[in-house]
Amino acid sequence: MNVKGIIFDLDGVVLSTDHFHYLAWKSLADELNIPFTEKDNEKLRGVSRMASFEIILANKPELKLTEEEKEKYATQKNELYRTYLQKMTPADVSEEVRDTLKALREKGYKLAVGSSSKNAGFILERTEMTSYFDAISDGNNITKSKPDPEVFLKAAEFVGLAPEACAVIEDAEAGLEGAVAGKMLPVAIGSAHSSPLAKISLDTFGDLLKHF
């Protein structure tokens, strides 16, 4: 595969806001008396906000909410999550990540973010990462969340490349499934490292430079 563009999931790959997600969902789950642990939070990796809430609600099937109530609670969670994000600074992104992205750009690769989060742009601004990417495809421009490939296909479109010319860097199984469905090169890191879907597995973010 002749890769010309690299699409990065944001959370868990470029930086981590997992703990902020957990704290916000935990607050909501406690309010609704739904059991929720950090292990439960791992099931939400790469999943959209509303889909995540449905997964949490499955832990208390007797609780019946209207779609309007679900939207209200999901919005409440996001508002709390964003208060945690306000505390993020450029120090929340490692020098290894910054140096690797800079080196990939210097090699001529088009770089994009492919994230289900509607907060991707805000997070990149807070951490001063926007300039490292040629495009951002996130929850604001898609109708289907991972494992649907839509977010990655949009990212490829935004940087003017065919899907087959793109690699996707993911730490979640759902994201790797999306990459495969989109006919892109699936590259795993972090918790997805051992996934059989991955064509390349990275021990560290800097290992990208060994392959690209």
Side-chain angles (χ1 to χ4, degrees), residues 21-196:
H21 275 298
Y22 169 69
L23 292 175
W25 281 127
K26 176 65 173 168
S27 175
L28 184 61
D30 286 350
E31 181 180 332
L32 296 171
N33 291 313
I34 301 173
F36 186 70
T37 65
E38 294 208 47
K39 190 167 185 180
D40 292 321
N41 193 59
E42 290 176 11
K43 300 173 189 173
L44 312 183
R45 287 177 179 273
V47 181
S48 71
R49 189 185 312 156
M50 292 307 295
S52 293
F53 193 27
E54 293 290 353
I55 292 170
I56 293 169
L57 288 172
N59 287 336
K60 192 176 182 180
E62 68 273 20
L63 179 62
K64 306 298 182 188
L65 298 179
T66 65
E67 290 304 312
E68 189 177 352
E69 288 172 324
K70 290 176 184 178
E71 287 283 356
K72 183 193 80 168
Y73 281 120
T75 298
Q76 178 181 321
K77 177 267 174 180
N78 190 55
E79 288 170 353
L80 181 56
Y81 172 62
R82 283 178 69 95
T83 65
Y84 291 127
L85 294 183
Q86 294 281 2
K87 301 174 184 176
M88 294 193 80
T89 70
D92 287 301
V93 180
S94 71
E95 286 303 312
E96 178 187 10
V97 167
R98 292 181 188 275
D99 290 346
T100 302
L101 292 174
K102 183 180 178 186
L104 290 170
R105 285 182 71 98
E106 288 172 350
K107 287 185 173 187
Y109 289 102
K110 292 285 188 181
L111 306 183
V113 168
S115 169
S116 296
S117 172
K118 291 187 176 182
N119 297 299
F122 180 69
I123 293 168
L124 291 170
E125 286 175 16
R126 292 292 310 165
T127 54
E128 297 181 5
M129 289 295 293
T130 309
S131 63
Y132 288 83
F133 299 98
D134 299 292
I136 300 170
S137 176
D138 64 13
N140 294 298
N141 60 254
I142 59 172
T143 58
K144 307 180 198 75
S145 63
K146 304 170 190 175
D148 191 277
E150 182 183 17
V151 71
F152 300 138
L153 294 174
K154 290 279 189 184
E157 179 186 329
F158 292 162
V159 295
L161 293 173
E164 295 82 2
C166 296
V168 169
I169 319 302
E170 265 286 354
D171 74 323
E173 196 77 8
L176 292 174
E177 287 177 29
V180 172
K183 297 183 170 54
M184 301 176 177
L185 179 68
V187 180
I189 194 171
S191 58
H193 182 276
S194 301
S195 172

